Amino acid sequence: MKLKFGTVEENVVTREEFPLEKAKEVLKDEVIAVLGYGVQGPGQALNLKDNGFNVIVGQRKGSKTWDKAVADGWVPGETLFELEEACERGTILQFLLSDAGQIALWPTVKKHLTPGKALYFSHGFGITYKDQTGIEPPKDVDVILVAPKGSGTSLRRMFVEGRGLNSSYAIYQDATGKARDRVVALGIGVGSGYLFETDFYKEVTSDLTGERGTLMGAIQGIFAAQYEVLRANGHSPSEAFNETVEELTQSLMPLVAENGMDWMYANCSTTAQRGALDWWKPFRDASKPVFEKLYNSVKTGKEAAKSIESNSKSDYRAKLEEELKELRESEMWQAGAVVRKLRPENN
Ligand SMILES: NC(=O)c1ccc[n+]([C@@H]2O[C@H](COP(=O)([O-])OP(=O)(O)OC[C@H]3O[C@@H](n4cnc5c(N)ncnc54)[C@H](O)[C@@H]3O)[C@@H](O)[C@H]2O)c1
Ligand SMILES: CC(C)(O)[C@@H](O)C(=O)O
Ligand SMILES: [Mg+2]
Ligand SMILES: [Mg+2]
């Protein structure tokens, strides 16, 4: 259906419009092969299975995630296979390896993309940056995308709770004339709450900007800046953490999620309202140049190059762990660990 967001009209697909039963009818003769069992792999594969689709998992034997797949109920030789065998058996190949990992597996996937199959991504990365990834699908297969707008962990959790994370969908290539039905059916099948339309380029540029920006990079940056200023002015770690992070995640963001920023503002003191209304614009103006620089780095493919380069190194996991350790061991997140334990529901 067409839906207005502010003054702009967009294509949206809801579960009412495209019910699960219809999705099952569309995909009844398909074998959905989920390649990769990292974060999105488990979320999408388990949701598809619980929704009654014919789904198999492809993963490297002997890897930790192979064992995780077995623990999650996938049966070797029946629903769990080596990557190449899954590529052969699947009629829809869900390419859910890490974006860098997709480059290494591409020759194998390509070999098994026989006419009429579908290649499915959850990110516009591989196709948009094809000069860097070498991913150029044959012309006689559908190339489609469903990108859940959140972590695979949330996709699964919300599904189990009977809720649904929203996703974007896109069609890059419609070889069979069935690409739209296939992509929407898959979007509903993986547990999306609703789907909004995009294209591969827009998906990857917005996604890379979002995760580097307000969703992950900018938020940690802003937390750290305020925390450091409070600490430098003699505030205790618990006071600084509560006033920077805990109150935001526990008290105020749920209000924003429920009814918007204006409603959250309306439910704070007049003193807070005055200050927040005065200060949000200076913060916007100070950070906007950084966002512009970030968007440019995404658009020119620099961010893609950096991520391919670092994620393809053999010591990637060890380096990542070191960097996460730095965050975990920072005073702010150490304070956070104590604060989390103090929440009555965690006792
Ligand atoms: N993590 C998320 O929640 C999330 C959210 C939205 C979209 N996506 C997209 O979904 C896709 C999958 O992302 P992810 O975060 O689940 O991936 P991930 O980084 O967790 O990796 C997935 C799997 O790829 C395997 N892998 C990596 N390199 C490999 C190689 N060279 N050969 C064989 N296997 C290899 C890993 O063992 C792992 O099982 C990506 O396109 C990503 O951008 C992810
Ligand atoms: C979960 C995110 C941040 O939305 C996703 O884009 C990812 O890359 O993991
Ligand atoms: Mg992303
Ligand atoms: Mg994202």
Side-chain angles (χ1 to χ4, degrees):
M1 67 166 95
K2 296 255 186 218
L3 209 62
K4 265 198 168 174
F5 293 78
T7 55
V8 182
E9 201 168 67
E10 295 189 43
N11 281 327
V12 164
V13 184
T14 64
R15 288 180 184 179
E16 289 74 47
E17 192 184 345
F18 205 104
L20 186 56
E21 288 316 310
K22 183 170 171 189
K24 281 198 228 177
E25 178 59 31
V26 169
L27 301 178
K28 67 178 188 310
D29 298 324
E30 309 269 14
V31 177
I32 306 167
V34 172
L35 309 173
Y37 207 71
V39 185
Q40 275 300 317
Q44 296 195 24
L46 291 170
N47 290 359
L48 281 165
K49 186 171 82 165
D50 290 351
N51 269 336
F53 293 88
N54 185 12
V55 47
I56 60 173
V57 169
Q59 185 50 38
R60 280 181 293 198
K61 214 173 189 157
S63 64
K64 263 202 278 182
T65 38
W66 174 280
D67 298 341
K68 177 175 159 39
V70 172
D72 284 351
W74 302 99
V75 182
E78 282 178 31
T79 52
L80 175 61
F81 301 93
E82 284 279 4
L83 283 160
E84 176 146 19
E85 191 172 351
C87 291
E88 198 187 318
R89 287 173 178 261
T91 57
I92 294 174
L93 305 187
Q94 293 202 175
F95 211 1
L96 298 182
L97 261 51
S98 70
D99 296 299
Q102 290 176 16
I103 298 173
L105 195 72
W106 175 241
T108 308
V109 171
K110 191 175 174 185
K111 193 167 85 187
H112 294 286
L113 278 175
T114 47
K117 283 197 184 188
L119 176 62
Y120 164 113
F121 292 88
S122 283
H123 204 7
F125 195 104
I127 293 286
T128 301
Y129 302 115
K130 57 178 179 294
D131 292 350
Q132 300 183 54
T133 64
I135 297 177
E136 290 197 54
K139 288 278 170 249
D140 47 14
V141 299
D142 293 343
V143 181
I144 53 185
L145 167 149
V146 173
K149 293 289 105 183
S151 169
T153 305
S154 321
L155 182 74
R156 180 62 183 163
R157 276 188 195 168
M158 289 169 77
F159 176 83
V160 170
E161 290 165 8
R163 300 161 65 205
L165 190 66
N166 53 301
S167 307
S168 59
Y169 74 94
I171 299 164
Y172 177 72
Q173 205 166 274
D174 182 4
T176 64
K178 295 187 298 192
R180 186 178 184 277
D181 268 0
R182 271 173 148 179
V183 73
V184 173
L186 287 161
I188 297 294
V190 301
S192 308
Y194 74 90
L195 296 146
F196 66 92
E197 192 178 12
T198 186
D199 61 44
F200 278 59
Y201 172 80
K202 291 257 169 57
E203 194 286 329
V204 70
T205 47
S206 59
D207 190 85
L208 294 181
T209 301
E211 66 206 17
R212 282 154 182 71
T214 59
L215 304 177
M216 295 170 70
I219 193 84
Q220 165 62 19
I222 253 185
F223 283 169
Q226 175 169 303
Y227 185 89
E228 285 168 20
V229 168
L230 288 171
R231 290 288 288 131
N233 283 283
H235 297 268
S236 68
S238 67
E239 186 162 63
F241 187 84
N242 270 291
E243 206 54 63
T244 303
V245 181
E246 190 72 355
E247 177 170 340
L248 182 71
T249 62
Q250 303 305 299
S251 163
L252 301 183
M253 274 300 149
L255 300 184
V256 177
E258 226 177 288
N259 264 318
M261 192 64 88
D262 56 319
W263 193 69
M264 185 270 266
Y265 276 26
N267 283 279
C268 292
S269 67
T270 51
T271 309
Q273 287 162 4
R274 181 69 269 132
L277 288 165
D278 287 345
W279 278 92
W280 78 263
K281 288 177 184 166
F283 278 111
R284 176 195 59 192
D285 297 345
S287 60
K288 203 166 171 186
V290 186
F291 283 102
E292 269 154 359
K293 194 170 158 192
L294 162 61
Y295 194 82
N296 198 47
S297 186
V298 168
K299 206 167 84 175
T300 54
K302 239 206 241 159
E303 292 303 305
K306 271 200 229 170
S307 108
I308 292 169
E309 212 252 327
S310 81
N311 298 351
S312 303
K313 286 193 176 135
S314 55
D315 63 348
Y316 161 68
R317 289 269 156 209
K319 280 249 167 63
L320 169 72
E321 188 37 48
E322 254 174 56
E323 287 179 283
L324 294 180
K325 187 164 173 253
E326 185 192 332
L327 269 184
R328 184 165 60 241
E329 292 186 348
S330 66
E331 188 195 88
M332 180 168 73
W333 289 109
Q334 287 293 305
V338 180
V339 168
R340 286 196 294 278
K341 279 204 198 108
L342 286 170
R343 289 183 203 148
E345 68 269 29
N346 290 345
N347 283 317

